[in-house]
Amino acid sequence: MERRYAVFIALSLAAVLGSQVMRSILFPQAEEKPPVVKPVVDGDAKAQQNPVKPKEERDPTTEEPNGSAGDPPTNEPGSEATPDSEPSVTQSAPRRHLSLGSLNPDAPAGMLVTLSSRGATVERIELAGEQFHDQDDRGAYIGHFAADIVPEGCRLNVVGDGTPAKIGGLQAGDVIVRVADSTTPDPQSLAAVLSRLKPRQTVSITFRRPQGEALGREQTVDVQATRRPLEVIRPEFSTVPVVDVNAGFHDPLSFRLSIASRDGQKRPEDGEIEGNKLGQKDWEATVSGDGRSVEFRRTLDGDLTVVKQYRLVTAADDPVGLVENARAGRYRLQLRVSFKASQKTQLEYAIDGPNGLPTEGWWYAARVSRSWGSLGVRDVAMRFVGEPSTLISGLTLTDEDAEQTASAILDEKPLSFAGVDALYFASGLLPAVEGAEIPQLAEVQSVIVGDVPEAARRKLVNVSCRLLSRELQLEPDVPVTHRFDIFAGPKRPSLLATFGRPQASMNDLVYYGWFGWVARPMIAILHVLHAIIRNYGIAIILLTVIVRGAMFPISRKQALSSQKMQVLQPEMKAIAEKYKNDPQKRTMVTQELWRKHNYNPAGGCLLVFIQIPIFMGLYRSLATDVELRQAPLFTSAIRWCSNLAAPDMMLDWSGFMPGFLVAPEGWLGPYLNLFPLLTIGLFLWQQKLFMPPAVDEQAKMQQQVMKYMMFFMALMFFKVPCGLCLYFIASSLWGIAERLLLPTPKPGGALAGAGGPTVVDAVSSKPGERSSGGRKRRKRR
């Protein structure tokens, strides 16, 4: 029997693997030509619904030295992808990159913001602190520089405060000549060298500093590299992170502003109003004296001046309209948009929200929606007063047959926030609620940014929101200013509760699904245990001990019931043999046997039913709670078990295993995971200990099916978080110990009662007839 099932499993797997191999041979993927990039200027909806796929997509789980994928044939490097019909970009002001905030863990803002004068946009937002590192890139990081190519090497345009480069003494304008004895003639070379180095490694950097119109002599500094910080907002090209925006092409950046209509002239579908272009132009930039705000200014045709001001807001600030939220103190950026005309003007503007949120976990994690629909890796989120948050799935936006509708903003139900929601992080645009700078908004739209990936990677699509204003009446020389708050940070419920209108905050973006009633107390217990022992892995083990200890009476009863079942097996086998042709009689006699020995065959199910919500609650906790993200079992210095919310990733086997199995979207994923295999091994051992011997062929077949089903369960468990596997390992070891520590019953003692009659004899005797045991006792008397 076992041989037949083994052959069946082997043939099934061979058929599946063979079909995949034949498919790759008979239907090979055609090599695509270099792309002609379609317009995504201003996030144009029509262009984005019909994207051209990029020539080559990098795996988002790895970071390549190149800043972009593919080489579009037109436009200058460092600019956004534009249509062929778009005229070449002209700069009305020099390109500038500026930064606000710091990566110093003690910095009040908690983040480093890099701004670009191209469109007066946010290029990237990096979070400060050891808790927030990039989970995919494990190379060395010294900072983002938006570097230019000069004959001597790479000229740094920006060096953010708190970065290793800044701490080591580098500054904007320096030209890096060599890194670790390797020349760096361009940003790609610089990124390639750093990718080969390791965090915490001391990096020797040779550079030249400008002295007047010329460069000074070469200098060398030692910089202590770190791990790459988590970027809540980052530039991308075809869903692939862009390391350096000046090294190649990129999709539109975040928080772009455009003129939707002016004096009755509507923006065309494929671009901007002529003479009113904002997205692909460089704005004049001015940094405030305190270094906490940057003002961008651009003058359009007809003497219309547009100003965008970004300002960091901390707990020390208490501007108008932020009294209620001032206690948040971190991850807050304020955006003011002003319009001023020399003559009476009617205009409508559109402001795009954030894009380029993290895609970490896309190949193993699954997000849960409040509705029955599927969610993408990044989805558009919005909330109106009096309603729960709404998520518009990125997968829905990529569906050409789905109807794309805008949400009107009503006076009785104003917009609280609109943005993008990801697995552990979110970013939103929040209109001001008090004062004279409350935005007058008409509707909010969901838009796709950049190209739509193919097949399983479609859920990686980059999305954003767009806020459209009502028509503004500008009086001559009277500015109109609207204020927004920008949140970009982790999804901590207490933090999110401080963003948004009262009773309509961002805190309901943290959603645990149907088992939230179990997940929340489990998270609270884990946090308390972690506060004591400072290790979430040990906290999960202690949580398992607490859960199994509370269920000890039930689990012990199950173990005793299983043991009793094994003792009853000989007599049950005798019953099955005696009444093999009378099923009704066999069932009656078997039930009589169970009643005599107080055995309940369903007694072991209670423990399973209790553990199901615990299992689901812990699974949702690991997939939702940002505190468990990046929590290592041992250390974060090695990849294995460095993130309890992800598979343990013991070995990267993508280089020697079939691609359809180990691709990120494949069945097994790019890493060999040890914990799922150990979990299934313990399950099999536990099954062997608790399962009684089969009494007939049917029972034997059922047990064989259950045994081999474990191998399919191994496939299902292969990409679950290692923290969840840790719970099952500890729970299985507890159950095995309970079973092994029970006293072994004496053979026959629980059944015959010192030579007494069996249930088979008692039930099978005819009326008026005594059993043989009774006759023997009478003779002895």
Side-chain angles (χ1 to χ4, degrees), residues 140 142 180 194 196-204 223-226:
I142 60 174
L194 293 174
R196 295 193 297 266
L197 303 177
K198 298 298 181 183
R200 301 181 181 87
Q201 183 176 345
T202 300
V203 181
S204 176
V223 174
Q224 185 77 28
T226 64

Side-chain angles (χ1 to χ4, degrees), residues 58-60 62-64 66-69 231 234-237 239-243 359:
R58 291 187 307 174
D59 183 354
T62 61
E63 186 69 40
E64 294 183 5
N66 238 339
S68 61
E231 298 172 350
R234 66 189 182 189
E236 293 184 359
F237 184 73
T239 73
V240 178
V242 173
V243 176
T359 58

Side-chain angles (χ1 to χ4, degrees), residues 330-629:
R330 295 169 72 86
Y331 315 117
R332 182 187 297 275
L333 186 65
Q334 188 181 91
L335 170 61
R336 277 185 168 89
V337 179
S338 300
F339 302 91
K340 182 179 178 182
S342 60
Q343 57 187 355
K344 193 169 184 179
T345 304
Q346 294 83 35
L347 67 82
E348 300 173 2
Y349 70 86
I351 183 168
D352 290 358
N355 71 75
L357 269 73
T359 58
E360 62 178 32
W362 73 271
W363 57 277
Y364 59 81
R367 302 178 62 211
V368 177
S369 171
R370 286 185 169 85
S371 61
W372 292 102
S374 299
L375 294 179
V377 177
R378 302 171 285 196
D379 305 296
V380 178
M382 62 185 72
R383 187 174 188 180
F384 298 89
V385 173
E387 298 179 0
S389 293
T390 301
L391 292 182
I392 295 91
S393 172
L395 294 173
T396 302
L397 296 176
T398 62
D399 188 356
E400 296 181 358
D401 297 328
E403 183 180 358
Q404 309 297 341
T405 59
S407 299
I409 301 175
L410 307 177
D411 291 335
E412 58 270 20
K413 287 189 176 182
L415 178 69
S416 179
F417 74 88
V420 180
D421 180 43
L423 188 61
Y424 297 107
F425 302 91
S427 181
L429 199 58
L430 300 92
V433 298
E434 295 181 358
E437 299 175 343
I438 299 177
Q440 304 300 313
L441 302 175
E443 65 180 33
V444 54
Q445 299 176 351
S446 304
V447 296
I448 294 175
V449 180
D451 296 329
V452 177
E454 294 180 336
R457 299 190 179 220
R458 190 165 58 98
K459 63 181 180 179
L460 284 168
V461 62
N462 192 10
V463 298
S464 186
C465 63
R466 175 177 297 155
L467 306 184
L468 299 179
S469 75
R470 300 175 183 178
E471 187 174 77
L472 306 181
Q473 302 291 334
L474 301 184
E475 298 296 331
D477 298 324
V478 178
V480 173
T481 302
H482 290 172
R483 189 180 74 246
F484 300 87
D485 279 348
I486 296 173
F487 167 76
K491 289 167 57 176
R492 291 180 178 140
S494 59
L495 174 66
L496 294 176
T498 64
F499 287 86
R501 291 173 177 262
Q503 308 303 320
S505 66
M506 298 180 69
N507 62 343
D508 69 342
L509 291 180
V510 181
Y511 180 61
Y512 298 100
W514 292 352
F515 293 92
W517 57 277
V518 180
R520 290 184 181 89
M522 291 186 70
I523 288 176
I525 294 173
L526 284 175
H527 289 175
V528 171
L529 294 174
H530 177 263
I532 300 172
I533 59 179
R534 313 306 299 175
N535 185 290
Y536 273 111
I538 300 177
I540 290 176
I541 295 175
L542 292 180
L543 175 66
T544 309
V545 173
I546 293 173
V547 171
R548 293 305 302 255
M551 295 191 301
F552 178 73
I554 300 174
S555 61
R556 180 172 176 81
K557 186 176 180 180
Q558 181 199 26
L560 289 171
S561 178
S562 175
Q563 188 181 63
K564 188 180 293 184
M565 183 61 176
Q566 293 182 355
V567 175
L568 292 174
Q569 280 301 303
E571 194 154 349
M572 290 180 63
K573 187 174 183 179
I575 293 172
E577 182 66 27
K578 186 170 184 177
Y579 299 103
K580 59 183 177 182
N581 297 323
D582 190 354
Q584 184 177 1
K585 187 74 170 178
R586 181 172 68 237
T587 302
M588 183 182 68
V589 175
T590 302
Q591 291 177 349
E592 180 65 25
L593 176 67
W594 289 347
R595 280 194 297 269
K596 177 182 177 181
H597 294 282
N598 194 26
Y599 171 73
N600 181 8
C605 299
L606 181 59
L607 184 65
V608 177
F609 290 143
I610 293 177
Q611 290 209 73
I612 286 177
I614 296 175
F615 152 69
M616 291 303 299
L618 182 59
Y619 176 68
R620 293 311 312 157
S621 301
L622 291 168
T624 305
D625 188 28
V626 70
E627 305 299 338
L628 296 175
R629 173 199 172 271

Side-chain angles (χ1 to χ4, degrees), residues 49 90 117 127 165 168 245 275 312 316 342 358 414 454 582 615 685 755 771 773:
Q49 290 174 2
T90 58
S117 63
L127 298 189
V245 293
L312 285 176
S342 60
E454 294 180 336
D582 190 354
F615 152 69
W685 186 13
S771 64

